Amino acid sequence: MERYLAPLAYLPTGWQQNVRIEIDDNGFISQITPNDAGEQCQKLTGAILPGMPNLHSHAFQRAMAGLGEQRLNPHDSFWSWREQMYQVALQISPQQLYVIAKSLYMEMLEGGFTSVAEFHYLHHDANGKPYAGNDEMADAISRAAADAGIGLTLLPTLYSYSDFAMAPASTTQRRFIQTTEQYLAQLERLKKLISTRANQRLGGCFHSLRACTPEQINEVVATLPSDWPLHLHLSEQVKEVNRCLEVHQCTPLDWLSRSVEINSRWCMIHATHITDSELELLAKSKAVAGLCPLTEASLGDGLYEVDSFLSQGGRIGIGSDSHISVDVAEELRMLEYGQRLKHQQRNFLASEQYPSTAERLLVESYQGGAQALAQPIGQLAKGQRADFIELDMNDPYLASVSTEHLLDSWVFAHYKNAIQSVMVAGKWQVKEHHHQQHQPMQAALLETLKELRS
Ligand code: NGQ
Ligand code: ZN
């Protein structure tokens, strides 16, 4: 058992002083007590808050960050970016994926994310042939998360078609493609693998309504345990919504909800272009809307009606998706700034309960993220996994403000080095702003990036 005393900690009741945190041998919080004298405790120096769940990741895309920013034609779009992304997807080996994912997950920890939902559809080898029964790519992801020390909800993803109306997959999609039966068999194999890894679990996942039908989704959901989360890319691009309207005479969520129950197990990624009635349905269902503010900005997706969604009781969380950048504060800042630019207002997503914009966004994304990952995370409370970040209170910008401005100062004003250390399941992974393996990992990362970029 480990005991710590934090001068300041953000609990479900808000900031508290002199908080004693007791952590059991499994890495869970067994006791948490404010205003404690701290006897027999290791003394922390910073302000402690929960680590953020990252609800949407395609780890391999980190390898192309910064390389999709040159104009290829006057109409560069999500779809032309996707062609570039497919080239990386076609090339990357299990060993390269391990290195890219491990160093990405280390960056996530440094940026304040302590667990990640990996939306994984890169199943087969470069020729589109399954790895002889042993899921080398999924195994690379799982090992990368274990070795980086981040919590993982692995989401093996069903991908069967290239578009609505069961359009056949293109050859550039050959590493993704499975039938429902192949997918279910893969889940069975992965259950064995993941059960051996601490702080990891599985969820069900469907790439999009372009890539699988509601009938397939129904069949899979019927066979999964009822506590598994379910993820799907919903309505990211106007073009896909229009195609759905053309083929099915209704919008994606309407189409899905005719045959599948939408409930709190669901996390709808990029619900960007849903209608008002779909938004109402989603809010009522208690599903999470998975927002990826920096990627959605980077890809030119559009802005979600997040204020109206929240005011109807909707749940949100954040993901770094394509990993154009890997930082909790940057994601939340982008989320708020998108709304400010759109509505020409300030502190747009703050609320009566939370006048601090950063606090509102953090609290919502902790809750939604924990729900979407289906893990005991997102709060500093008894029974939760001991996943937390420590803000550097030696930093003048943080040390000089009262606690009511602390979260806003981190998220909006302080860009570098605010996070001093990070713990996952009771183990320190980041100290003095860097992951413990930062140095030794740099050489492997450089070599892998050179291979992939040559
Ligand atoms: C993906 N990424 O699967 O990686 C997608 C792009 C698609 C984002 N949606 C591909 N950001 O949706 O077909
Ligand atoms: Zn995605």
Side-chain angles (χ1 to χ4, degrees):
M1 204 227 283
E2 302 276 354
R3 298 183 195 87
Y4 296 95
L5 187 78
L8 211 51
Y10 189 78
L11 306 192
T13 50
W15 285 113
Q16 301 291 340
Q17 291 185 338
N18 298 320
V19 177
R20 177 191 180 94
I21 307 167
E22 300 187 359
I23 301 171
D24 69 21
D25 295 339
N26 298 319
F28 283 76
I29 298 174
S30 53
Q31 205 59 252
I32 187 154
T33 323
N35 308 314
D36 192 271
E39 271 167 47
Q40 297 176 317
C41 285
Q42 302 175 54
K43 307 280 190 303
L44 303 176
T45 56
I48 303 299
L49 53 151
M52 182 61 73
N54 188 338
L55 60 60
H56 193 63
S57 164
H58 306 288
F60 74 91
Q61 292 174 11
R62 182 61 174 155
M64 68 177 287
L67 300 183
E69 311 299 325
Q70 296 198 6
R71 183 182 278 191
L72 302 175
N73 71 61
H75 304 287
D76 266 347
S77 66
F78 172 88
W79 305 102
S80 54
W81 168 85
R82 192 173 79 153
E83 290 307 314
Q84 280 184 287
M85 182 271 277
Y86 281 177
Q87 292 314 310
V88 183
L90 280 172
Q91 204 192 338
I92 195 165
S93 69
Q95 178 53 24
Q96 289 167 334
L97 179 63
Y98 170 80
V99 173
I100 296 294
K102 182 179 168 188
S103 54
L104 168 69
Y105 295 158
M106 289 163 54
E107 284 185 85
M108 280 187 196
L109 289 161
E110 291 173 355
F113 292 109
T114 46
S115 52
V116 57
E118 180 67 30
F119 197 111
H120 173 68
Y121 57 86
L122 220 44
H123 303 306
H124 311 312
D125 73 13
N127 298 315
K129 207 167 140 282
Y131 290 99
N134 54 4
D135 303 291
E136 288 187 38
M137 298 297 268
D139 183 57
I141 292 289
S142 170
R143 281 187 292 115
D147 294 350
I150 197 167
L152 174 70
T153 295
L154 179 63
L155 303 168
T157 302
L158 177 59
Y159 202 126
S160 301
Y161 305 107
S162 71
D163 206 352
F164 291 95
M166 301 194 272
S170 67
T171 58
T172 48
Q173 296 169 328
R174 62 186 176 267
R175 299 190 76 174
F176 321 158
I177 302 305
Q178 290 180 317
T179 62
T180 309
E181 292 66 44
Q182 288 167 330
Y183 177 69
L184 291 172
Q186 183 193 40
L187 289 185
E188 284 306 314
R189 293 191 300 273
L190 291 175
K191 269 189 207 168
K192 290 202 194 87
L193 175 79
I194 296 299
S195 65
T196 64
R197 303 251 155 91
N199 310 314
Q200 299 196 1
R201 66 158 299 152
L202 285 164
C205 190
F206 311 94
H207 182 274
S208 54
L209 294 172
R210 289 174 269 130
C212 30
T213 65
E215 290 71 34
Q216 288 180 287
I217 295 174
N218 246 339
E219 187 182 339
V220 171
V221 172
T223 70
L224 297 183
S226 64
D227 63 344
W228 281 33
L230 305 166
H231 288 229
L232 166 82
H233 290 126
L234 188 65
S235 309
E236 183 169 15
Q237 289 284 316
V238 173
K239 187 174 147 187
E240 69 186 316
V241 177
N242 288 343
R243 182 74 189 140
C244 188
L245 281 166
E246 197 179 308
V247 175
H248 299 289
Q249 289 78 49
C250 61
T251 49
L253 189 62
D254 281 340
W255 187 42
L256 181 66
S257 64
R258 284 181 196 175
S259 40
V260 177
E261 185 190 320
I262 311 299
N263 53 30
S264 62
R265 291 172 68 187
W266 282 95
C267 176
M268 300 299 180
I269 305 298
H270 314 306
T272 319
H273 295 292
I274 62 179
T275 61
D276 292 348
S277 68
E278 286 178 301
L279 186 127
E280 196 185 323
L281 188 157
L282 196 61
K284 281 211 182 93
S285 74
K286 303 295 175 204
V288 175
L291 309 176
C292 306
L294 291 167
T295 295
E296 289 161 7
S298 163
L299 299 181
D301 287 348
L303 288 168
Y304 187 56
E305 290 293 343
V306 62
D307 53 321
S308 141
F309 186 64
L310 286 172
S311 63
Q312 293 178 54
R315 301 176 179 188
I316 61 165
I318 54 165
S320 61
D321 191 351
S322 68
H323 317 298
I324 187 71
S325 177
V326 190
D327 188 291
V328 171
E330 276 191 57
E331 291 293 351
L332 295 178
R333 202 160 58 232
M334 183 71 231
L335 176 56
E336 166 69 15
Y337 281 0
Q339 300 296 317
R340 290 189 191 185
L341 288 164
K342 180 177 181 178
H343 297 278
Q344 301 175 33
Q345 260 177 266
R346 301 196 74 252
N347 299 321
F348 192 74
L349 295 172
S351 66
E352 222 164 278
Q353 188 186 1
Y354 296 109
S356 155
T357 307
E359 184 173 11
R360 173 86 193 284
L361 293 175
L362 283 161
V363 168
E364 297 286 353
S365 336
Y366 285 140
Q367 282 174 5
Q371 179 177 318
L373 269 68
Q375 299 211 25
I377 52 179
Q379 282 192 332
L380 297 181
K382 188 174 165 170
Q384 297 275 298
R385 197 161 72 211
D387 288 11
F388 56 76
I389 69 172
E390 184 179 15
L391 294 181
D392 185 355
M393 294 306 281
N394 289 317
D395 182 281
Y397 286 102
L398 299 179
S400 59
V401 293
S402 61
T403 52
E404 68 185 301
H405 292 295
L406 191 53
L407 296 172
D408 293 323
S409 297
W410 169 41
V411 170
F412 290 100
H414 189 88
Y415 301 121
K416 280 188 224 145
N417 286 339
I419 299 173
Q420 161 183 322
S421 47
V422 178
M423 172 183 279
V424 179
K427 290 202 187 93
W428 293 109
Q429 298 296 348
V430 173
K431 281 275 185 191
E432 291 169 14
H433 311 287
H434 277 303
H435 193 282
Q436 317 265 34
Q437 298 172 61
H438 176 79
Q439 266 315 323
M441 207 43 205
Q442 291 295 85
L445 177 60
L446 177 62
E447 194 185 319
T448 300
L449 286 174
K450 278 186 174 164
E451 285 166 15
L452 286 169
R453 293 171 166 192
S454 66

